[in-house]
Amino acid sequence: QVQLVESGGGLVQAGGSLRLSCAASGRTFSNYGMGWFRQAPGKEREFVAAINYNGGATRYANSVKGRFTISRDNAKNTVYLQMKSLKPEDTAVYYCAAGTYASDVTSFGSWGQGTQVTVSS
C-alpha cells in the first residue's frame, strides 16, 4: 500500500481559496490513480475529484466542477486540490486516496487521515 498525508486545510471565508496537498510514500506513486473525497458531519463520504496515473485525465463531481482543480507532481509524489470560490457547503473533512482512476470509494485502497476544511458564510 501507499501511505498518504494530507495538509492545507483550514478556515476560510466564502469565496476564498485553499490548496490541499497529499504527500505519498511507500509504493510507486506514479502507478496509482489518485482521488479526493470529502465527508461532512452526518453525511456519507463523497467523491470530489480524481486524476489518472500521469495527470492526463481528470474528473470532477458536478458540485465542484469549474471551482476545483486536481493535479499531481509525480516527481514530488504529491497530489493537489486547488479549491476556489469556496462555499459553506464545501465544509467537510477532505481525504486523499490512492487506487484506480475512478469516482467510487471502493476503487481506492489507501486513504489519508483527512484534513478539515471549514468555509464560513
Side-chain angles (χ1 to χ4, degrees), residues 20 33-40 43-52 57-70 79-81 83 89-90 92-108 111:
L20 305 183
M34 298 296 296
W36 286 97
F37 291 76
R38 66 187 181 186
Q39 189 166 17
K43 295 188 177 181
E44 293 187 353
R45 192 168 298 189
E46 67 173 3
F47 170 74
V48 175
I51 190 167
N52 77 332
T58 58
R59 60 180 65 175
Y60 298 91
N62 288 336
S63 59
V64 307
K65 202 171 293 183
R67 300 188 298 122
F68 291 11
T69 303
I70 188 171
V79 63
Y80 305 96
L81 185 68
M83 306 185 293
E89 51 264 43
D90 294 318
V93 177
Y94 283 70
Y95 297 91
C96 170
T100 60
Y101 176 53
S103 58
D104 59 294
V105 171
T106 59
S107 293
F108 295 86
W111 293 83

